[in-house]
Amino acid sequence: MAMCRVRAEPLAIAIFARAPLPGAAKTRLIPALGAAGAARLQRRLTLHALAVARRAAIGSVSLWGSPDDQQRFFRAVQRCSGVDLRSQSGPDLGQRMANAFAAQAGPLLLIGTDCPALQPAHLSAAASALLDDCQSANDAVFIPAEDGGYVLVGLRRPQPGLFASIDWGTERVMAQTRQRLCELRLRWAELPPLWDLDRPGDLARLATLEGFAAWIR
């Protein structure tokens, strides 16, 4: 019987984060939390995503800031944690993601900061699905979001056309991405979906997660 093995390719994790500026971060939560409260929640979500990525211990971690990496919060995180800090670049989310994958060149998992339910085990499972030869040499891996997008995307190598002409921010994102994957003849795996923290109604769900209730007080 053939033995399955995980390839020894170096894997990295990239975190896309928006600067926690009042009035510009988590804007859909402002009616419930106020501008300052929404910005405070964005800070906590970013630090949580960074902690989860590091606890996964599956590769180097980089933090990609928007609108750029010169924001005070990002610089403070870099000073305290030593994380590799970079700027997102591109006219839309698809191009910004494509640029991040191109910068890594090799296997990369990319996550945002909107999924407090994401845990190190999810990252480990995604890494296995991407690099394990038993998984039919997948080119990509996704954790879909319940709202029709996705909370994680991983690629073995850059795929410049994968993120083009996607209706970002809509419930069509994952469906359109699946169509693009088929057009490009790529193999991919999907892990069980998780949920994003985007709207006031999601705050009640956040409060049910252990240790998170204090975030919205």
Side-chain angles (χ1 to χ4, degrees), residues 69-106:
D69 63 1
Q70 298 302 309
Q71 302 295 314
R72 180 185 302 177
F73 170 75
F74 295 137
R75 288 299 182 185
V77 171
Q78 183 186 46
R79 286 194 301 272
C80 293
S81 67
V83 67
D84 182 18
L85 184 59
R86 306 189 190 186
S87 290
Q88 297 179 39
S89 64
D92 61 27
L93 178 59
Q95 189 59 58
R96 294 196 296 271
M97 291 197 298
N99 290 341
F101 280 106
Q104 170 64 18

Side-chain angles (χ1 to χ4, degrees), residues 1 4 8 11 16 21 31 42 72 93 112 122 126 130-132 140 142 144 169 178 182 188 195 200 205:
M1 179 181 295
C4 296
L11 179 72
F16 268 27
L21 302 175
Q42 174 64 16
R72 180 185 302 177
L93 178 59
H122 296 114
L130 192 63
L131 298 181
D132 194 335
F142 294 85
R178 291 187 188 105
C182 291
W188 79 95
W195 56 277
R205 200 170 186 179

Side-chain angles (χ1 to χ4, degrees), residues 26-172:
K26 305 304 292 179
T27 55
R28 285 181 285 187
L29 294 178
I30 289 176
L33 301 177
R40 184 165 55 250
L41 180 59
Q42 174 64 16
R43 287 195 294 271
R44 288 170 166 167
L45 288 167
T46 301
L47 295 174
H48 174 71
L50 179 59
V52 167
R54 289 191 146 178
R55 291 204 308 271
I58 56 177
S60 62
V61 179
S62 56
L63 180 63
W64 294 69
S66 173
D68 55 60
D69 63 1
Q70 298 302 309
Q71 302 295 314
R72 180 185 302 177
F73 170 75
F74 295 137
R75 288 299 182 185
V77 171
Q78 183 186 46
R79 286 194 301 272
C80 293
S81 67
V83 67
D84 182 18
L85 184 59
R86 306 189 190 186
S87 290
Q88 297 179 39
S89 64
D92 61 27
L93 178 59
Q95 189 59 58
R96 294 196 296 271
M97 291 197 298
N99 290 341
F101 280 106
Q104 170 64 18
L108 176 70
L109 301 181
L110 191 156
I111 63 173
T113 62
D114 292 340
C115 183
L118 187 72
Q119 295 296 319
H122 296 114
L123 296 175
S124 296
S128 294
L130 192 63
L131 298 181
D132 194 335
D133 281 341
C134 293
Q135 303 292 334
S136 300
N138 288 313
D139 301 295
V141 61
F142 294 85
I143 297 181
E146 293 178 0
D147 62 6
Y150 39 83
V151 304
L152 176 150
V153 52
L155 299 176
R156 278 205 183 203
R157 58 189 59 83
Q159 301 290 343
L162 181 58
F163 305 114
S165 301
I166 301 293
D167 295 327
W168 303 109
T170 74
E171 71 282 358
R172 298 183 294 277

